[in-house]
Amino acid sequence: GLRFAVLAGGALVFCNLMGLWPQTVSTLALVLTATLLALLVAVPLGVLAGLTPRFDRVVDPCLDLVQTLPPYIYLLPAIALLGYGSATALLATFIVALPPALRLTSLGIRMTPREFIELGEASGVTGWQMFFKIRLPFAMPSIMTGINQSLMMAFGMVVIAGIVGSGGLGEAIYGAIRTLNIAQSINAAIAIVILTLILDRLAQSAAL
């Protein structure tokens, strides 16, 4: 709506006034790229897990492990493979953003009401029709929630990834902490909160 557009625009102008516009755009690009790559993998695998109980039983403990380990753990193998830089941050953020979308996509596919499936079978629909016209519409709210959660996890990882020279707001916060520049770290944190709130509201509105 108009009110949200005005507030979001004003908040982004505030990021510019704080002198953090390049870092804000860099962080936004990193989060969106990592989340998009995670969704390209997570959504198809989530659909497969939702339709195949055996595959879901294999994937579920793997997701538990990924979500249980501290996020900074994923920086270590990424550094070993790619060294320091934005590519390492992208890989680690991708890993962290993957589980919520996969898990909630699988859940949405499994939660299709049985009576609608039986109605589709009785109507003689094909497998593709069953998926696109019955299962997918019921699963969409859960899938959109997974996308939202992936975005939030990616933003959380961006700050940690500042340790490896990811650029953007995460590196600004890490650099400010190292030099005890409290004001700069607070400004960067405010910019991250602004980006998070804007993308969170956009994702929620897309789910409606």
Side-chain angles (χ1 to χ4, degrees):
L2 179 61
R3 180 167 175 261
F4 172 77
V6 172
L7 290 174
L12 292 175
V13 169
F14 183 65
C15 292
N16 188 30
L17 293 176
M18 290 190 295
L20 292 171
W21 182 249
Q23 293 90 335
T24 301
V25 174
S26 177
T27 298
L28 180 63
L30 176 60
V31 168
L32 291 181
T33 302
T35 304
L36 179 60
L37 292 175
L39 293 177
L40 290 175
V41 175
V43 173
L45 287 180
V47 170
L48 181 61
L51 296 174
T52 313
R54 182 177 298 178
F55 180 66
D56 183 63
R57 287 193 294 270
V58 173
V59 169
D60 201 49
C62 297
L63 296 179
D64 289 337
L65 178 63
V66 172
Q67 291 184 296
T68 301
L69 292 174
Y72 62 82
I73 290 295
Y74 305 115
L75 293 173
L76 301 178
I79 292 172
L81 291 172
L82 303 171
Y84 285 84
S86 56
T88 299
L90 180 64
L91 178 58
T93 306
F94 165 82
I95 295 173
V96 170
L98 185 69
L102 200 161
R103 192 185 294 275
L104 287 170
T105 298
S106 174
L107 177 64
I109 295 296
R110 291 198 310 270
M111 289 183 64
T112 306
R114 184 63 195 169
E115 57 269 22
F116 283 87
I117 296 177
E118 293 174 351
L119 177 62
E121 292 172 345
S123 302
V125 300
T126 64
W128 287 108
Q129 290 174 328
M130 174 75 75
F131 175 75
F132 284 106
K133 294 185 176 181
I134 298 178
R135 288 188 180 274
L136 189 59
F138 279 106
M140 278 307 296
S142 183
I143 293 173
M144 294 306 299
T145 301
I147 293 173
N148 182 277
Q149 292 300 308
S150 291
L151 281 170
M152 298 304 103
M153 294 297 293
F155 269 113
M157 189 63 196
V158 160
V159 179
I160 300 174
I163 300 173
V164 298
S166 63
L169 296 170
E171 187 170 355
I173 290 177
Y174 181 64
I177 291 174
R178 285 170 48 194
T179 58
L180 297 179
N181 189 341
I182 305 301
Q184 180 70 10
S185 65
I186 292 175
N187 288 343
I190 291 173
I192 286 180
V193 170
I194 288 172
L195 277 183
T196 304
L197 289 175
I198 290 174
L199 290 184
D200 178 59
R201 295 301 182 271
L202 289 174
Q204 286 185 14
S205 64
L208 298 178

